[in-house]
């Protein structure tokens, strides 16, 4: 089977013809890396007479890795550019389609040089090009080794909006309107470009100070009709020029910006580039007539998946709000006070997760959510760009780029609402935020107290997670809690022990700061026992409250400020010889030069005798069948 490649395709591309969609052959593919250690593929293209080096845009890397393009493949170039770089022409392929996956090398092509360019008269005109393109798919059956399983008789070109002309008279050559291209096709090798996209998020105006002085920066995110996303950033005078013009939800035509590598520490979008606006850039408001550009784009992850996600990852999640805590003031390391509010989300994966709201999120969406939950309603909350934390299990926190949507009109929200109203409201869910082991099932392994020592639990590389039904026999009252630093370091609270500085202030040696108020955190040590033995356990904040029924601050003030030993002693005694179902984390740790097994209470539930009876009957039934 023979293939007619597009005649003069290579000379036409090098000469600047970006409108044809030629059929060419891939002679070679090589993996290279640039200065940013990003993978790029260099390919050698042929029209059967000439060959030309080209680069694949990074969005096409997957084609090579999955072998949808290989040496010998016949491809049709859909989108491409040819730019002069250091006295030579570089062809960058932005979009292409594989017509034939495997084929013998056609012709005897030689490397093309610009001196080989034919005269203007020799280059094919539009009619000739159209004719030759119609002949590109004329295949004659012959005995060759071409594999035509991927042959496509027609190729749908990508969306190309018509050029935008303004009625301001004749257009001179250098004022020709810039072609609108998809965000995914943007790269630094292009000259003039324009994108049409919707603003999905606008960050706060931030001020900074460095060696060059004071400054300010603004960023906003764009989404186009093809689903491409990119961040736009501007500094100082450029911020003043565009700040008021940018509104979330509006569509804009943006051009004359520069492209630079995205700073992934601050930019979570799936794009290796970032647009930087200048004073000469243009940002033109467009009417949103056809609604072809979506309002927002989500990639929701089930809560159960978050257990295995790396810390500091940015993701989208949607769930039912089952509880909302009050907003509390927190002092950040820079001395500024902010607000923190914690709520819980659950979904149909059987898991729940803590979501921490910071700053204005506490007062806006946080207050609205608390009012609805307090009224007995459980709203749906969609979180765009939440940050994963792994402190005390996995949790999610808001950042400046986070967006919250309460009871959104999404298909995922409607499905979740139906599930919750039918069965989810009464179904139990396992939290991944309370130091729960990834995967969860190990947390339900029942053991006795004696098995902790007999089976050497906690002495492997990873901690053991077990459930024990036991009775509290003793509680230490001299060191049941401590005064903690309330300052935030990044997205975590310091929590180091603070000491008195004078009569009214608290001093943190780690943060080198003084505070009017400190935090109070449980460090409760208790002895538990069952019919097989006794052991010591340690309960921190949440599990300490579950055992004593009071906050650490209430108990601390009762003992040390009010000095009401009788009431304090009564609370402690009332908790002795009560049975709990303890969920324990067991891990060997180094104390000085000695290895010790530490047993931490992750959760302490009062015994539900109905469910415990069911568990015992199931155990007896299982034992009788052995």
């Amino acid at each position: 089977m023979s293939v007619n490649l597009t005649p003069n395709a290579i000379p036409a591309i090098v000469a600047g013809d970006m409108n044809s969609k030629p059929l060419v052959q891939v002679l070679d593919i090589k993996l290279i890396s640039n200065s940013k250690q990003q993978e790029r593929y260099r390919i050698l293209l042929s029209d059967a007479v000439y060959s030309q080096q080209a680069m694949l845009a990074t969005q096409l890397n997957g084609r090579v890795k999955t072998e949808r393009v290989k040496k010998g493949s016949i491809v049709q170039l859909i989108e491409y550019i040819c730019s002069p770089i250091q006295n030579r022409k570089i062809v960058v392929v932005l979009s292409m389609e594989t017509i034939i996956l495997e084929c013998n090398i056609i012709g005897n092509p030689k490397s093309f040089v610009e001196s080989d360019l034919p005269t203007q008269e020799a280059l094919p005109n539009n009619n000739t090009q159209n004719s030759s393109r119609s002949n590109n798919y004329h295949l004659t059956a012959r005995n060759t080794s071409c594999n035509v399983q991927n042959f496509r008789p027609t190729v749908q070109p990508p969306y190309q909006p018509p050029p935008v002309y303004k009625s301001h008279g004749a257009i001179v050559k250098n004022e020709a309107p810039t072609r609108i291209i998809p965000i995914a096709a943007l790269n630094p090798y292009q000259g003039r470009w324009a994108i049409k996209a919707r603003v999905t998020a606008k960050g706060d105006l931030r001020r900074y100070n460095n060696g060059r002085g004071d400054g300010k920066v603004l960023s906003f995110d764009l989404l186009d009709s093809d689903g491409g996303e990119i961040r736009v950033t501007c500094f100082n005078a450029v911020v003043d020029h565009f700040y008021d013009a940018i509104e979330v939800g509006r569509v804009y035509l943006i051009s004359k910006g520069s492209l630079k590598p995205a700073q992934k520490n601050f930019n979570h979008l799936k794009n290796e580039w970032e647009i930087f606006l200048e004073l000469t850039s243009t940002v033109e408001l467009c009417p949103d007539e056809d609604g072809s550009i979506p309002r927002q784009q989500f990639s929701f992850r089930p809560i159960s998946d978050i257990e295995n996600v790396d810390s500091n990852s940015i993701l989208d999640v949607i769930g039912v709000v089952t509880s909302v805590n009050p907003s509390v003031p927190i002092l950040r390391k820079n001395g500024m006070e902010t607000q923190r509010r914690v709520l819980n989300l659950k979904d149909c994966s059987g898991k729940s997760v803590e979501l921490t709201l910071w700053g204005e999120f506490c007062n806006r969406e946080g207050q609205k959510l608390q009012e609805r939950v307090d009224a007995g309603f459980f709203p749906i909350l969609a979180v765009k760009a939440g940050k994963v934390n792994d402190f005390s299990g996995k949790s999610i926190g808001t950042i400046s780029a986070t967006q919250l949507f309460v009871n959104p009109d999404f298909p995922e929200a409607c499905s979740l609402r139906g599930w919750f109203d039918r069965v989810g409201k009464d179904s139990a869910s396992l939290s991944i935020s309370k130091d729960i082991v990834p995967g969860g099932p190990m947390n339900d392994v029942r053991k006795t107290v004696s098995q902790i020592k007999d089976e050497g639990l906690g002495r492997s590389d990873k901690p053991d997670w077990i459930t024990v039904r036991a009775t509290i026999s003793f509680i230490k009252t001299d060191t049941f809690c401590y005064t903690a630093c309330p300052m935030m370091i990044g997205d975590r609270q310091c929590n180091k022990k603070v000491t008195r500085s004078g009569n009214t202030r608290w001093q943190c040696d780690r943060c080198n700061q003084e505070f009017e108020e400190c935090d109070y955190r449980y460090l409760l040590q208790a002895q538990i026992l069952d019919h097989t033995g006794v052991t010591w356990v340690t309960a921190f904040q949440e599990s300490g409250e579950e055992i004593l029924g009071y906050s650490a601050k209430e108990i601390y003030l009762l003992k040390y400020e009010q000095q009401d030993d009788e009431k304090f002693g009564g609370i402690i005694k009332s908790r002795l010889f009560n049975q709990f179902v303890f969920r324990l984390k067991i891990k060997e740790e180094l104390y000085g030069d000695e290895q010790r097994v530490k047993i931490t209470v992750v959760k302490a539930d009062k015994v539900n005798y109905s469910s415990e009876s069911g568990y015992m009957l199931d155990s007896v039934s299982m034992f009788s069948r052995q």
Side-chain angles (χ1 to χ4, degrees):
M1 181 175 289
S2 65
V3 181
N4 291 326
L5 302 179
T6 302
N8 294 315
I10 298 301
I13 292 172
V14 176
D17 178 11
M18 301 292 111
N19 295 318
S20 63
K21 296 178 174 56
L23 206 66
V24 293
Q25 185 173 31
V26 178
L27 300 183
D28 193 20
I29 303 177
K30 288 185 178 179
L31 175 64
I32 61 174
S33 297
N34 60 20
S35 59
K36 297 293 183 180
Q37 297 300 310
Q38 295 167 326
E39 289 187 349
R40 301 296 296 267
Y41 284 97
R42 184 165 57 203
I43 62 175
L44 186 62
L45 299 177
S46 164
D47 62 7
V49 177
Y50 293 108
S51 63
Q52 170 68 27
Q53 296 280 358
M55 298 287 292
L56 284 185
T58 53
Q59 65 262 24
L60 299 179
N61 285 358
R63 302 276 188 94
V64 179
K65 293 179 179 180
T66 57
E67 296 190 338
R68 288 179 288 166
V69 176
K70 56 177 64 175
K71 294 179 182 180
S73 294
I74 307 298
V75 299
Q76 185 184 31
L77 304 184
I78 306 297
E79 290 271 349
Y80 53 93
I81 59 173
C82 184
S83 303
I85 304 292
Q86 296 180 348
N87 298 322
R88 63 192 181 102
K89 294 291 184 69
I90 297 293
V91 178
V92 180
V93 180
L94 307 174
S95 176
M96 67 182 183
E97 290 291 339
T98 302
I99 305 304
I100 300 176
L101 183 60
E102 297 178 356
C103 188
N104 288 339
I105 301 301
I106 300 172
N108 187 24
K110 66 175 183 177
S111 181
F112 180 78
V113 293
E114 287 193 66
S115 60
D116 294 330
L117 274 175
T119 62
Q120 186 65 31
E121 291 77 9
L123 286 173
N125 58 30
N126 287 339
N127 292 334
T128 305
Q129 290 176 2
N130 290 337
S131 175
S132 66
R133 281 202 300 273
S134 67
N135 289 331
N136 287 341
Y137 304 108
H138 176 65
L139 303 180
T140 306
R142 291 182 183 171
N143 292 325
T144 65
S145 61
C146 290
N147 183 345
V148 297
Q149 61 181 347
N150 284 351
F151 172 71
R152 304 177 186 180
T154 59
V155 177
Q156 179 69 32
Y159 168 71
Q160 291 183 338
V164 179
Y165 293 91
K166 295 180 181 180
S167 55
H168 52 62
I171 301 176
V172 295
K173 182 177 181 181
N174 290 337
E175 293 180 351
T178 307
R179 183 177 56 159
I180 298 175
I181 65 173
I183 287 177
L186 285 173
N187 67 80
Y189 305 108
Q190 289 165 315
R192 305 185 65 198
W193 53 262
I195 57 173
K196 184 179 179 181
R198 188 186 304 277
V199 177
T200 58
K202 180 181 178 181
D204 296 329
L205 181 61
R206 293 178 287 122
R207 300 187 181 275
Y208 62 88
N209 180 275
N210 56 29
R212 291 175 290 182
D214 296 336
K216 51 189 173 183
V217 60
L218 170 70
S219 296
F220 55 93
D221 297 340
L222 297 176
L223 172 66
D224 69 6
S225 58
D226 293 332
E229 293 183 286
I230 195 167
R231 175 157 296 175
V232 181
T233 301
C234 45
F235 291 89
N236 302 325
V238 185
V239 174
D240 299 332
H241 191 61
F242 292 113
Y243 184 84
D244 293 332
I246 300 300
E247 296 182 38
V248 175
R250 306 297 292 270
V251 176
Y252 297 87
L253 187 69
I254 298 176
S255 63
K256 298 181 181 179
S258 60
L259 285 167
K260 297 180 182 180
Q263 300 182 40
K264 289 302 181 181
N265 290 340
F266 309 100
N267 188 344
H268 63 277
L269 300 182
K270 295 178 181 178
N271 197 317
E272 63 175 303
W273 306 112
E274 190 169 328
I275 297 175
F276 285 78
L277 295 183
E278 302 161 359
L279 288 174
T280 55
S281 301
T282 61
V283 177
E284 181 181 346
L285 182 64
C286 297
D288 186 21
E289 297 172 348
D290 57 0
S292 61
I293 304 177
R295 291 275 168 185
Q296 191 55 267
Q297 182 169 259
F298 294 90
S299 297
F300 291 124
R301 301 285 296 270
I303 293 176
S304 58
D305 284 1
I306 300 174
E307 289 180 302
N308 302 314
V309 171
D310 293 336
S311 180
N312 298 322
S313 297
I314 305 296
L315 50 72
D316 304 338
V317 66
I318 187 169
V320 182
V321 180
T322 57
S323 65
V324 182
N325 293 339
S327 180
V328 295
I330 295 292
L331 194 65
R332 290 194 174 275
K333 194 170 184 179
N334 59 8
M336 302 294 290
E337 187 177 273
T338 188
Q339 295 291 314
R340 180 183 67 181
R341 186 191 292 269
V342 178
L343 55 86
N344 278 277
L345 295 177
K346 70 183 293 187
D347 66 6
C348 51
S349 69
K351 299 296 177 67
S352 62
V353 65
E354 277 190 358
L355 171 66
T356 302
L357 307 183
W358 295 102
E360 284 303 310
F361 288 115
C362 297
N363 301 324
R364 296 196 308 259
E365 294 86 352
Q367 185 61 35
K368 182 190 298 184
L369 291 169
Q370 183 169 22
E371 291 172 356
R372 296 189 180 186
V373 171
D374 290 346
F377 300 101
F378 300 96
I380 305 294
L381 180 65
V383 182
K384 173 72 175 177
K387 183 180 179 182
V388 176
N389 303 306
D390 62 359
F391 180 72
S392 185
K394 288 292 174 68
S395 61
I396 302 172
T398 60
I399 56 177
S400 59
T402 301
Q403 292 177 275
L404 303 180
F405 301 85
V406 180
N407 288 328
D409 187 18
F410 303 154
E412 297 89 346
C414 295
S415 175
L416 194 59
R417 169 57 64 196
W419 165 81
F420 185 79
D421 291 342
R422 290 193 310 271
V423 296
K425 196 171 186 178
D426 300 318
S427 64
S429 61
L430 182 64
S431 173
I432 66 171
S433 301
K434 301 293 186 185
D435 224 4
I436 300 299
V437 64
M442 287 298 294
N443 222 43
D444 297 325
V445 176
R446 275 298 177 104
K447 298 286 185 180
T448 61
V449 169
S450 64
Q451 285 178 297
I452 297 174
K453 182 178 181 180
D454 295 343
E455 297 180 8
L457 299 182
R459 297 188 180 276
S460 60
D461 293 336
K462 295 182 178 181
D464 287 305
W465 307 79
I466 66 170
T467 300
V468 173
R469 179 161 61 92
T471 301
I472 296 177
S473 58
F474 183 77
I475 297 176
K476 279 190 176 182
T477 58
D478 52 348
T479 56
F480 63 90
C481 77
Y482 71 98
T483 50
C485 175
M487 182 170 286
M488 296 302 301
I489 301 176
D491 55 1
R492 296 183 183 181
Q493 188 172 331
C494 172
N495 281 337
K496 289 294 183 181
K497 181 178 176 61
V498 295
T499 55
R500 282 285 190 186
S501 176
N503 294 327
T504 61
R505 298 179 69 83
W506 298 90
Q507 170 76 33
C508 176
D509 294 333
R510 176 183 181 181
C511 299
N512 195 26
Q513 296 276 353
E514 289 188 355
F515 315 98
E516 293 289 344
E517 293 287 339
C518 68
D519 201 358
Y520 300 84
R521 299 191 64 84
Y522 272 117
L523 185 62
L524 190 68
Q525 292 180 292
Q527 199 174 59
I528 64 172
L529 60 86
D530 66 3
H531 63 287
T532 67
V534 62
T535 190
W536 284 95
V537 297
T538 301
F540 293 99
Q541 193 70 345
E542 290 81 4
S543 53
E545 291 181 3
E546 290 168 348
I547 291 173
L548 291 185
Y550 293 85
S551 69
K553 182 177 182 179
E554 290 174 308
I555 299 296
Y556 180 91
L557 296 178
L558 186 65
K559 179 176 175 62
Y560 295 107
E561 301 291 338
Q562 302 172 18
Q563 296 183 352
D564 190 340
D565 293 336
E566 183 177 353
K567 186 174 181 180
F568 172 79
I571 292 174
I572 299 299
K573 289 180 181 179
S574 69
R575 298 305 183 266
L576 297 180
F577 305 107
N578 286 324
Q579 269 198 344
F580 290 85
V581 175
F582 295 102
R583 292 176 180 172
L584 305 177
K585 173 188 174 184
I586 308 172
K587 184 72 177 75
E588 191 174 52
E589 296 183 359
L590 185 64
Y591 291 86
D593 297 328
E594 183 181 357
Q595 290 282 100
R596 299 182 187 174
V597 173
K598 181 179 179 180
I599 305 175
T600 303
V601 179
V602 176
K603 192 167 182 58
D605 293 320
K606 291 184 178 180
V607 174
N608 183 318
Y609 289 99
S610 176
S611 60
E612 280 299 298
S613 298
Y615 167 77
M616 295 176 69
L617 288 172
D618 290 341
S619 299
V620 171
S621 176
M622 186 179 299
F623 180 79
S624 65
R625 290 197 298 268
Q626 293 180 350

